[in-house]
PDB file of all heavy atoms in Angstrom:
ATOM      1  N   LYS A  53      -9.162 -10.977  -5.301  1.00 97.00           N
ATOM      2  CA  LYS A  53     -10.121  -9.878  -5.173  1.00 97.00           C
ATOM      3  C   LYS A  53      -9.882  -8.831  -6.357  1.00 97.00           C
ATOM      4  O   LYS A  53      -8.747  -8.975  -6.913  1.00 97.00           O
ATOM      5  CB  LYS A  53      -9.782  -9.111  -3.856  1.00 97.00           C
ATOM      6  CG  LYS A  53      -9.975  -9.758  -2.539  1.00 97.00           C
ATOM      7  CD  LYS A  53      -9.639  -8.951  -1.423  1.00 97.00           C
ATOM      8  CE  LYS A  53      -9.719  -9.608   0.013  1.00 97.00           C
ATOM      9  NZ  LYS A  53      -9.585  -8.682   0.991  1.00 97.00           N
ATOM     10  N   ARG A  57      -4.744  -0.782  -9.467  1.00 98.00           N
ATOM     11  CA  ARG A  57      -3.474  -0.204  -9.281  1.00 98.00           C
ATOM     12  C   ARG A  57      -2.487  -1.421  -9.071  1.00 98.00           C
ATOM     13  O   ARG A  57      -1.368  -1.478  -9.748  1.00 98.00           O
ATOM     14  CB  ARG A  57      -3.387   0.613  -8.011  1.00 98.00           C
ATOM     15  CG  ARG A  57      -3.768   1.965  -8.307  1.00 98.00           C
ATOM     16  CD  ARG A  57      -4.459   2.819  -7.117  1.00 98.00           C
ATOM     17  NE  ARG A  57      -5.764   1.998  -6.965  1.00 98.00           N
ATOM     18  CZ  ARG A  57      -6.968   2.387  -7.653  1.00 98.00           C
ATOM     19  NH1 ARG A  57      -6.748   3.432  -8.260  1.00 98.00           N
ATOM     20  NH2 ARG A  57      -7.919   1.775  -7.488  1.00 98.00           N
ATOM     21  N   THR A  58      -2.709  -2.309  -8.044  1.00 98.00           N
ATOM     22  CA  THR A  58      -1.716  -3.379  -7.689  1.00 98.00           C
ATOM     23  C   THR A  58      -1.394  -4.206  -8.829  1.00 98.00           C
ATOM     24  O   THR A  58      -0.158  -4.558  -9.207  1.00 98.00           O
ATOM     25  CB  THR A  58      -2.176  -4.077  -6.539  1.00 98.00           C
ATOM     26  OG1 THR A  58      -2.669  -3.269  -5.427  1.00 98.00           O
ATOM     27  CG2 THR A  58      -1.098  -5.090  -5.902  1.00 98.00           C
ATOM     28  N   ARG A 106      -3.121 -11.566  -3.998  1.00 98.00           N
ATOM     29  CA  ARG A 106      -3.996 -10.853  -3.280  1.00 98.00           C
ATOM     30  C   ARG A 106      -5.071 -11.792  -2.886  1.00 98.00           C
ATOM     31  O   ARG A 106      -5.828 -12.331  -3.745  1.00 98.00           O
ATOM     32  CB  ARG A 106      -4.660  -9.751  -4.092  1.00 98.00           C
ATOM     33  CG  ARG A 106      -5.801  -9.059  -3.521  1.00 98.00           C
ATOM     34  CD  ARG A 106      -6.294  -7.911  -4.183  1.00 98.00           C
ATOM     35  NE  ARG A 106      -5.257  -6.752  -4.002  1.00 98.00           N
ATOM     36  CZ  ARG A 106      -5.614  -5.481  -4.206  1.00 98.00           C
ATOM     37  NH1 ARG A 106      -6.743  -5.171  -4.875  1.00 98.00           N
ATOM     38  NH2 ARG A 106      -4.689  -4.478  -4.026  1.00 98.00           N
ATOM     39  N   LEU A 128      -2.000  -7.493  -0.847  1.00 98.00           N
ATOM     40  CA  LEU A 128      -3.181  -7.174   0.005  1.00 98.00           C
ATOM     41  C   LEU A 128      -3.894  -8.463   0.364  1.00 98.00           C
ATOM     42  O   LEU A 128      -4.221  -9.283  -0.249  1.00 98.00           O
ATOM     43  CB  LEU A 128      -4.159  -6.354  -0.689  1.00 98.00           C
ATOM     44  CG  LEU A 128      -5.610  -5.844   0.087  1.00 98.00           C
ATOM     45  CD1 LEU A 128      -5.928  -4.350  -0.409  1.00 98.00           C
ATOM     46  CD2 LEU A 128      -6.633  -6.795  -0.067  1.00 98.00           C
ATOM     47  N   THR A 129      -4.183  -8.337   1.813  1.00 98.00           N
ATOM     48  CA  THR A 129      -5.024  -9.409   2.477  1.00 98.00           C
ATOM     49  C   THR A 129      -5.972  -8.591   3.362  1.00 98.00           C
ATOM     50  O   THR A 129      -5.863  -7.387   3.408  1.00 98.00           O
ATOM     51  CB  THR A 129      -4.090 -10.345   3.349  1.00 98.00           C
ATOM     52  OG1 THR A 129      -3.490  -9.566   4.404  1.00 98.00           O
ATOM     53  CG2 THR A 129      -3.018 -11.136   2.677  1.00 98.00           C
ATOM     54  N   ASP A 130      -6.795  -9.295   4.054  1.00 98.00           N
ATOM     55  CA  ASP A 130      -7.906  -8.623   4.735  1.00 98.00           C
ATOM     56  C   ASP A 130      -7.047  -7.881   5.938  1.00 98.00           C
ATOM     57  O   ASP A 130      -7.574  -6.861   6.313  1.00 98.00           O
ATOM     58  CB  ASP A 130      -8.708  -9.655   5.459  1.00 98.00           C
ATOM     59  CG  ASP A 130      -9.729 -10.292   4.562  1.00 98.00           C
ATOM     60  OD1 ASP A 130      -9.929  -9.774   3.343  1.00 98.00           O
ATOM     61  OD2 ASP A 130     -10.241 -11.340   4.839  1.00 98.00           O
ATOM     62  N   HIS A 133      -1.437  -4.440   3.908  1.00 98.00           N
ATOM     63  CA  HIS A 133      -1.262  -4.068   2.565  1.00 98.00           C
ATOM     64  C   HIS A 133       0.136  -3.332   2.473  1.00 98.00           C
ATOM     65  O   HIS A 133       0.269  -2.200   2.432  1.00 98.00           O
ATOM     66  CB  HIS A 133      -2.342  -3.044   2.106  1.00 98.00           C
ATOM     67  CG  HIS A 133      -2.456  -2.962   0.604  1.00 98.00           C
ATOM     68  ND1 HIS A 133      -1.656  -3.546  -0.283  1.00 98.00           N
ATOM     69  CD2 HIS A 133      -3.372  -2.162  -0.079  1.00 98.00           C
ATOM     70  CE1 HIS A 133      -2.122  -3.114  -1.473  1.00 98.00           C
ATOM     71  NE2 HIS A 133      -3.071  -2.344  -1.375  1.00 98.00           N
ATOM     72  N   GLN A 136       1.393  -1.086  -0.458  1.00 99.00           N
ATOM     73  CA  GLN A 136       0.808   0.214  -0.259  1.00 99.00           C
ATOM     74  C   GLN A 136       1.508   1.093   0.614  1.00 99.00           C
ATOM     75  O   GLN A 136       1.741   2.252   0.302  1.00 99.00           O
ATOM     76  CB  GLN A 136      -0.767   0.098   0.151  1.00 99.00           C
ATOM     77  CG  GLN A 136      -1.394   1.407   0.209  1.00 99.00           C
ATOM     78  CD  GLN A 136      -1.640   1.972  -1.168  1.00 99.00           C
ATOM     79  OE1 GLN A 136      -2.213   1.465  -2.151  1.00 99.00           O
ATOM     80  NE2 GLN A 136      -1.313   3.240  -1.327  1.00 99.00           N
ATOM     81  N   ASN A 163      -8.247  -0.723   9.218  1.00 98.00           N
ATOM     82  CA  ASN A 163      -8.210  -1.926   8.174  1.00 98.00           C
ATOM     83  C   ASN A 163      -6.804  -2.150   7.832  1.00 98.00           C
ATOM     84  O   ASN A 163      -5.830  -1.845   8.417  1.00 98.00           O
ATOM     85  CB  ASN A 163      -9.036  -1.642   7.025  1.00 98.00           C
ATOM     86  CG  ASN A 163      -8.635  -0.367   6.313  1.00 98.00           C
ATOM     87  OD1 ASN A 163      -7.452   0.119   6.415  1.00 98.00           O
ATOM     88  ND2 ASN A 163      -9.411   0.188   5.376  1.00 98.00           N
ATOM     89  N   ASN A 164      -6.686  -3.166   6.704  1.00 98.00           N
ATOM     90  CA  ASN A 164      -5.383  -3.458   6.218  1.00 98.00           C
ATOM     91  C   ASN A 164      -4.472  -2.413   5.857  1.00 98.00           C
ATOM     92  O   ASN A 164      -3.178  -2.377   6.242  1.00 98.00           O
ATOM     93  CB  ASN A 164      -5.622  -4.421   4.924  1.00 98.00           C
ATOM     94  CG  ASN A 164      -6.720  -3.784   4.025  1.00 98.00           C
ATOM     95  OD1 ASN A 164      -7.183  -2.725   4.044  1.00 98.00           O
ATOM     96  ND2 ASN A 164      -7.038  -4.630   3.019  1.00 98.00           N
ATOM     97  N   VAL A 165      -5.061  -1.285   5.268  1.00 99.00           N
ATOM     98  CA  VAL A 165      -4.175  -0.122   4.902  1.00 99.00           C
ATOM     99  C   VAL A 165      -3.756   0.588   6.127  1.00 99.00           C
ATOM    100  O   VAL A 165      -2.476   0.841   6.329  1.00 99.00           O
ATOM    101  CB  VAL A 165      -4.996   0.838   3.950  1.00 99.00           C
ATOM    102  CG1 VAL A 165      -4.338   2.188   3.802  1.00 99.00           C
ATOM    103  CG2 VAL A 165      -5.215   0.092   2.673  1.00 99.00           C
ATOM    104  N   ASP A 228      -9.260   5.931   3.904  1.00 98.00           N
ATOM    105  CA  ASP A 228      -9.393   4.759   3.045  1.00 98.00           C
ATOM    106  C   ASP A 228     -10.921   4.527   3.045  1.00 98.00           C
ATOM    107  O   ASP A 228     -11.758   5.145   3.765  1.00 98.00           O
ATOM    108  CB  ASP A 228      -8.532   3.528   3.616  1.00 98.00           C
ATOM    109  CG  ASP A 228      -8.709   2.422   2.560  1.00 98.00           C
ATOM    110  OD1 ASP A 228      -9.155   2.549   1.358  1.00 98.00           O
ATOM    111  OD2 ASP A 228      -8.452   1.169   3.020  1.00 98.00           O
ATOM    112  N   THR A 229     -11.323   3.503   2.200  1.00 98.00           N
ATOM    113  CA  THR A 229     -12.689   3.268   2.060  1.00 98.00           C
ATOM    114  C   THR A 229     -13.263   2.797   3.349  1.00 98.00           C
ATOM    115  O   THR A 229     -12.642   2.309   4.169  1.00 98.00           O
ATOM    116  CB  THR A 229     -13.007   2.147   0.964  1.00 98.00           C
ATOM    117  OG1 THR A 229     -14.355   1.783   1.007  1.00 98.00           O
ATOM    118  CG2 THR A 229     -12.243   0.878   1.409  1.00 98.00           C
ATOM    119  N   THR A 231     -15.701   0.730   3.427  1.00 98.00           N
ATOM    120  CA  THR A 231     -16.136  -0.747   3.329  1.00 98.00           C
ATOM    121  C   THR A 231     -15.115  -1.428   2.433  1.00 98.00           C
ATOM    122  O   THR A 231     -15.092  -1.198   1.205  1.00 98.00           O
ATOM    123  CB  THR A 231     -17.571  -0.790   2.613  1.00 98.00           C
ATOM    124  OG1 THR A 231     -18.424  -0.002   3.430  1.00 98.00           O
ATOM    125  CG2 THR A 231     -18.047  -2.234   2.583  1.00 98.00           C
ATOM    126  N   SER A 232     -14.193  -2.178   3.034  1.00 98.00           N
ATOM    127  CA  SER A 232     -13.184  -2.847   2.248  1.00 98.00           C
ATOM    128  C   SER A 232     -13.791  -4.094   1.561  1.00 98.00           C
ATOM    129  O   SER A 232     -14.870  -4.541   1.831  1.00 98.00           O
ATOM    130  CB  SER A 232     -12.144  -3.339   3.297  1.00 98.00           C
ATOM    131  OG  SER A 232     -11.329  -2.337   3.711  1.00 98.00           O
ATOM    132  N   MET A 233     -13.012  -4.539   0.655  1.00 98.00           N
ATOM    133  CA  MET A 233     -13.404  -5.746  -0.165  1.00 98.00           C
ATOM    134  C   MET A 233     -13.688  -6.900   0.827  1.00 98.00           C
ATOM    135  O   MET A 233     -12.849  -7.312   1.597  1.00 98.00           O
ATOM    136  CB  MET A 233     -12.285  -6.054  -1.271  1.00 98.00           C
ATOM    137  CG  MET A 233     -12.201  -5.069  -2.269  1.00 98.00           C
ATOM    138  SD  MET A 233     -10.922  -5.484  -3.431  1.00 98.00           S
ATOM    139  CE  MET A 233      -9.495  -4.718  -2.617  1.00 98.00           C
ATOM    140  N   GLY A 234     -14.799  -7.509   0.535  1.00 97.00           N
ATOM    141  CA  GLY A 234     -15.237  -8.685   1.377  1.00 97.00           C
ATOM    142  C   GLY A 234     -16.286  -8.201   2.500  1.00 97.00           C
ATOM    143  O   GLY A 234     -16.789  -9.120   3.118  1.00 97.00           O
ATOM    144  N   CYS A 268      -5.377   5.393  -0.415  1.00 98.00           N
ATOM    145  CA  CYS A 268      -4.736   4.374  -1.194  1.00 98.00           C
ATOM    146  C   CYS A 268      -5.422   4.167  -2.529  1.00 98.00           C
ATOM    147  O   CYS A 268      -4.862   3.582  -3.563  1.00 98.00           O
ATOM    148  CB  CYS A 268      -4.724   3.036  -0.544  1.00 98.00           C
ATOM    149  SG  CYS A 268      -6.323   2.430  -0.148  1.00 98.00           S
ATOM    150  N   MET A 269      -6.759   4.584  -2.638  1.00 98.00           N
ATOM    151  CA  MET A 269      -7.553   4.487  -3.863  1.00 98.00           C
ATOM    152  C   MET A 269      -7.893   3.020  -3.979  1.00 98.00           C
ATOM    153  O   MET A 269      -7.105   2.171  -3.672  1.00 98.00           O
ATOM    154  CB  MET A 269      -6.956   5.062  -5.088  1.00 98.00           C
ATOM    155  CG  MET A 269      -6.647   6.528  -5.049  1.00 98.00           C
ATOM    156  SD  MET A 269      -5.845   7.128  -6.517  1.00 98.00           S
ATOM    157  CE  MET A 269      -7.395   7.541  -7.474  1.00 98.00           C
ATOM    158  N   PRO A 270      -9.169   2.525  -4.500  1.00 98.00           N
ATOM    159  CA  PRO A 270     -10.145   3.435  -5.040  1.00 98.00           C
ATOM    160  C   PRO A 270     -10.995   4.258  -3.961  1.00 98.00           C
ATOM    161  O   PRO A 270     -11.089   3.943  -2.933  1.00 98.00           O
ATOM    162  CB  PRO A 270     -11.057   2.406  -5.746  1.00 98.00           C
ATOM    163  CG  PRO A 270     -10.917   1.317  -4.850  1.00 98.00           C
ATOM    164  CD  PRO A 270      -9.474   1.236  -4.543  1.00 98.00           C
TER     165      PRO A 270
HETATM  166  N1  NVA B 402      -8.981  -1.334   2.519  1.00 60.17           N
HETATM  167  C1  NVA B 402      -9.297  -1.490   1.060  1.00 60.17           C
HETATM  168  C2  NVA B 402      -7.988  -1.222   0.294  1.00 60.17           C
HETATM  169  C3  NVA B 402      -8.259  -1.415  -1.203  1.00 60.17           C
HETATM  170  C4  NVA B 402      -6.970  -1.114  -2.051  1.00 60.17           C
HETATM  171  C5  NVA B 402      -9.823  -2.992   0.905  1.00 60.17           C
HETATM  172  O1  NVA B 402      -9.294  -3.827   1.494  1.00 60.17           O
HETATM  173  O2  NVA B 402     -10.685  -3.111   0.095  1.00 60.17           O
END
Side-chain angles (χ1 to χ4, degrees):
K53 298 183 183 187
R57 280 143 290 272
T58 311
R106 171 168 286 193
L128 178 147
T129 62
D130 290 346
H133 199 359
Q136 183 65 52
N163 61 15
N164 43 12
V165 168
D228 184 17
T229 181
T231 305
S232 284
M233 291 178 276
C268 65
M269 301 179 88

